[in-house]
Amino acid sequence: MASADNSGRRHGEYKVPGGKLVVVDLDVRDGRLAGVSLGGDFFLEPDEALGDINAALEGLPAETSFGDIAEAVRLRLPSDAVLFGFSPEAVATAVRRALGKATGWGDHQWEIIPPTPLSTHMHVAMDEVLAEEVGAGRRNPTLRFWEWESPSVVIGSFQSLKNEVDPDGAERHGVTVVRRITGGGAMFMEHGNAITYSLYIPQSLVDGLSFADSYPFLDAWVMESLKKLGIQAWYVPLNDMATDQGKIGGAAQKRFSSGGMLHHVTMSYNIDADKMVEVLRIGKEKLSDKGTTSAKKRVDPLKRQTGLSREDIIATMMDTFAARYGAVQAGITDEEIALAQQKVKDKFDTPEWLNRVP
């Protein structure tokens, strides 16, 4: 969260995931930080190290990068300093928020697009369109839920088509194969068998966070939703969601030069594992790092763990997101539909894109 009072003094806050709140108040004079005051509910030893952190920040150019702010704090701290519940990086994030370089969830008006049936080509194209629109400031940050029109396999941007998909199995089951813009693994989709959502955000929301930290940060609301449903879930680095009964989903991200960012997740609900292994080439090597010996054991549907319908689970997720971030429901505009249709024609439904990694 960032704000400024009537005197122009800047205020930034950052809640460390799993840690403490870091708060900074400062002025900017002649392009440099002045009157810096750090606070929060963290713990710090020795007590005098608080003054060292303030001194490290005082006089820094307002355009100092996240990494250089953190490094300035680290270099000024005494060798025996111990930081509990926060870090130099957390201080840098709070400073960047005070300066308006980084933002928090509360700094944005959020929108939710409920499950909307689209072709799979349109879904992956819409991800690119909406992330670019948010980056350009033409759309508020948005959460969108996918709905499937036909059986599909969505492969990662860098996956080999022939290594991931069995063409005979795909043809036999009427499966459309589409390549998305994010990395990660292949997803097998049928109507009602998975829960997929996309977050379109400004990169300022994850300013200073590593890729590894940004995944659980962006999906904290999902973990809250699952907890309401009786599921204790967590992230297995880098991008897998898991419970004590196994993997339930996977995430992927892409950052755009426009300043927008895409973060999307697919969670298993009730996947036909027999059909999946006929369509996907799921080999022993891929399964070995999951500690399993069969594809069926990799799929741990939310239906079995909750006993609820897919629609009820999505409704809980939407309600949690709306309550947590003040989000309102929205739709896809005609202009965005047209942009996505053009991207399908020019890119996502072309042999060149599908076979970019043969």
Side-chain angles (χ1 to χ4, degrees):
M1 185 180 73
S3 63
D5 61 25
N6 292 333
S7 68
R9 190 158 173 78
R10 317 288 183 88
H11 177 87
E13 298 181 2
Y14 175 60
K15 174 66 169 64
V16 179
K20 298 298 184 178
L21 179 67
V22 180
V23 181
V24 66
D25 293 282
L26 56 84
D27 296 314
V28 177
R29 300 173 191 154
D30 298 324
R32 293 182 176 272
L33 309 190
V36 180
S37 178
L38 182 75
D41 60 359
F42 51 78
F43 299 92
L44 176 63
E45 294 291 346
D47 189 78
E48 295 76 20
L50 182 63
D52 293 318
I53 296 176
N54 287 334
L57 300 172
E58 193 76 19
L60 285 179
E63 297 302 318
T64 302
S65 69
F66 169 87
D68 287 345
I69 294 173
E71 185 64 14
V73 171
R74 187 174 287 106
L75 290 174
R76 189 64 181 255
L77 285 169
S79 59
D80 61 343
V82 181
L83 286 64
F84 298 94
F86 79 120
S87 64
E89 286 74 21
V91 174
T93 298
V95 169
R96 297 272 293 178
R97 287 188 174 179
L99 295 169
K101 309 294 185 182
T103 57
W105 293 92
D107 294 320
H108 303 283
Q109 174 59 63
W110 293 88
E111 297 180 351
I112 301 175
I113 300 175
T116 304
L118 295 172
S119 72
T120 310
H121 287 101
M122 279 291 287
H123 274 305
V124 295
M126 193 61 68
D127 269 354
E128 187 166 272
V129 167
L130 295 185
E132 290 175 341
E133 291 296 286
V134 169
R138 291 187 291 265
R139 167 178 274 277
N140 288 327
T142 299
L143 167 67
R144 178 176 75 93
F145 285 88
W146 297 30
E147 192 58 89
W148 304 97
E149 285 189 341
S150 59
S152 304
V153 165
V154 183
I155 62 174
S157 180
F158 310 109
Q159 288 189 298
S160 163
L161 178 61
K162 68 175 183 295
N163 290 342
E164 296 299 323
V165 181
D166 184 316
D168 294 333
E171 182 177 4
R172 184 164 61 253
H173 293 292
V175 171
T176 300
V177 183
V178 180
R179 186 183 295 275
R180 64 181 186 269
I181 58 175
T182 59
M187 308 181 300
F188 171 65
M189 307 295 194
E190 289 184 294
H191 179 73
N193 79 350
I195 296 173
T196 297
Y197 64 84
S198 296
L199 271 172
Y200 312 104
I201 64 173
Q203 291 177 37
S204 60
L205 187 66
V206 294
D207 183 86
L209 294 179
S210 67
F211 273 96
D213 289 340
S214 70
Y215 281 93
F217 172 75
L218 292 174
D219 285 329
W221 65 277
V222 182
M223 302 308 177
E224 181 182 343
S225 301
L226 293 174
K227 189 174 182 179
K228 290 178 180 178
L229 298 169
I231 298 176
Q232 192 68 39
W234 57 86
Y235 256 97
V236 177
L238 174 67
N239 63 332
D240 284 349
M241 284 185 181
T243 70
D244 58 3
Q245 297 185 47
K247 177 179 174 179
I248 61 171
Q253 295 180 355
K254 182 176 178 61
R255 305 186 185 203
F256 294 80
S257 59
S258 66
M261 177 176 167
L262 164 65
H263 171 91
H264 56 188
V265 171
T266 292
M267 296 188 290
S268 305
Y269 177 71
N270 191 26
I271 290 178
D272 183 335
D274 291 329
K275 188 182 295 184
M276 180 178 71
V277 297
E278 291 181 24
V279 173
L280 296 181
R281 300 186 189 278
I282 302 175
K284 292 181 180 179
E285 183 65 25
K286 181 179 290 186
L287 293 169
S288 65
D289 70 338
K290 309 297 180 184
T292 59
T293 57
S294 74
K296 282 189 177 181
K297 289 185 179 179
R298 283 191 68 201
V299 179
D300 196 6
L302 291 173
K303 180 179 180 180
R304 174 155 32 96
Q305 294 195 44
T306 66
L308 297 174
S309 70
R310 176 176 172 270
E311 290 73 21
D312 286 342
I313 295 173
I314 292 175
T316 298
M317 294 174 69
M318 290 173 52
D319 289 345
T320 300
F321 190 89
R324 186 169 177 138
Y325 303 127
V328 297
Q329 285 204 19
I332 303 170
T333 69
D334 292 341
E335 292 80 4
E336 289 162 346
I337 290 286
L339 286 170
Q341 288 172 336
Q342 191 63 47
K343 284 182 179 289
V344 169
K345 179 181 177 182
D346 296 341
K347 177 178 179 178
F348 291 103
D349 196 19
T350 65
E352 293 78 14
W353 173 253
L354 182 61
N355 293 278
R356 69 184 299 241
V357 183

